[in-house]
Amino acid sequence: MKIIAFANHKGGVGKTAAVSAVSSILANEYGKRILMIDLDAQSNLTLNYLERIPERTIHDAFKERQNIPVVQINGNLSLVPSTLDMITIESDIVSQYRREYILNELLAPIADAYDYLMIDCPPALGITTTNAMAIADHVFVPMLADGLSVYGLAMMNDYINKTRQINGTLELTGVFFSRFDKRRSVTNAIEQTVRQQYGDKVLSTVIRENVAVVEAFLANKDIITYAPISNAAQDYKALTKEIIEKIK
């Protein structure tokens, strides 16, 4: 069983789209048992698959430290739903003992039922993301080809290095570009800079800008189901293959 966190301090970089697409591909094309975990208060991963937020969510499980809710999407794909209430989780658990290990405790009874746990982290480096880092084997950082994303990547790299104090095996395994438009000169310049700085951690695959990703979300479907022959679907298939190779 492998635990993968998708994280970036900057929002809007394609974390949720990547978790949704890669999880769907692993479940439906590779036959792997996948549990997606939505830790983001925006709940975009949850709403990507469900028309409404379930009554019980990850927020309840965090506060009570028990009974993590799992919603089955299809035979191999399941989801731990989130809610806007997660925005208060920092204050809700501030006094709890070993609060950085709550997610680990919640997942321990069920983790072995899955081949991959795929964590969608919030765009912040608070206690929720720390919980993800405490349990993850690998971190993948999606980013845009812009200055703010480069800064966000640097912050994530420092954060991962510091978080090794509570998870010594944590690794920044890969970085990849999303919403990529190679027609813009600044895009290519930033890509080159990041590849020079981070070397083989930068994946070869880039996710091209594609309106089908937004359309899929609005239709409560992953991009592979919604538009299987779109550029985005093909890019995410290539990304999934590369991720599998990286985490062997």
Side-chain angles (χ1 to χ4, degrees):
M1 186 266 295
K2 299 181 185 297
I3 305 175
I4 303 174
F6 289 75
N8 194 320
H9 180 62
K10 185 178 184 299
V13 296
K15 289 186 292 80
T16 300
V19 173
S20 175
V22 173
S23 295
S24 175
I25 293 165
L26 286 171
N28 299 321
E29 299 190 14
Y30 287 80
K32 302 298 183 180
R33 299 164 299 167
I34 309 298
L35 178 62
M36 301 178 291
I37 303 153
D38 190 354
L39 292 182
D40 193 347
Q42 296 179 73
S43 310
N44 286 336
L45 182 62
T46 300
L47 294 172
N48 192 179
Y49 286 93
L50 306 175
E51 293 185 0
R52 61 181 181 178
I53 304 294
E55 182 176 344
R56 183 173 178 82
T57 68
I58 187 70
H59 178 261
D60 302 298
F62 257 79
K63 286 185 67 176
E64 299 166 9
R65 290 183 93 136
Q66 63 181 346
N67 300 332
I68 190 167
V70 176
V71 178
Q72 188 170 14
I73 305 302
N74 61 42
N76 283 330
L77 186 63
S78 297
L79 167 72
V80 175
S82 187
T83 174
L84 183 61
D85 291 340
M86 279 297 283
I87 203 168
T88 68
I89 200 63
E90 296 270 351
S91 58
D92 290 338
I93 65 173
V94 66
S95 62
Q96 291 198 22
Y97 175 66
R98 287 172 58 88
R99 60 186 181 274
E100 64 270 26
Y101 297 105
I102 293 176
L103 184 62
N104 192 6
E105 295 171 9
L106 292 173
L107 290 171
I110 65 171
D112 288 342
Y114 301 95
D115 298 307
Y116 292 86
L117 305 184
M118 308 287 284
I119 307 175
D120 186 11
C121 297
L125 303 182
I127 192 63
T128 309
T129 300
T130 301
N131 266 263
M133 298 298 110
I135 194 174
D137 303 309
H138 305 277
V139 182
F140 285 87
V141 179
M143 63 177 293
L144 307 183
D146 63 25
L148 288 176
S149 288
V150 173
Y151 178 66
L153 173 59
M155 289 187 67
M156 276 303 309
N157 192 40
D158 290 343
Y159 179 72
I160 290 167
N161 289 334
K162 292 176 181 177
T163 311
R164 288 201 184 96
Q165 295 175 5
I166 61 174
N167 180 358
T169 62
L170 183 67
E171 180 183 357
L172 172 59
T173 306
V175 177
F176 62 93
F177 289 95
S178 60
R179 294 168 54 190
F180 195 83
D181 186 351
K182 65 180 180 181
R183 296 171 298 181
R184 301 175 61 219
S185 57
V186 67
T187 295
N188 298 308
I190 289 175
E191 180 195 13
Q192 184 177 3
T193 298
V194 173
R195 290 190 184 278
Q196 288 174 348
Q197 185 172 356
Y198 290 89
D200 61 3
K201 289 189 180 297
V202 185
L203 305 188
S204 300
T205 304
V206 299
I207 308 301
R208 289 168 284 181
E209 182 78 63
N210 194 312
V211 69
V213 175
V214 177
E215 294 173 348
F217 173 78
L218 295 174
N220 299 111
K221 295 180 180 179
D222 63 85
I223 183 63
I224 310 303
T225 302
Y226 178 79
I229 63 172
S230 65
N231 286 340
Q234 300 310 307
D235 293 342
Y236 281 118
K237 288 181 181 181
L239 178 69
T240 303
K241 183 176 181 180
E242 197 167 359
I243 286 174
I244 292 172
E245 290 298 316
K246 276 282 187 181
I247 65 177
K248 277 184 176 179

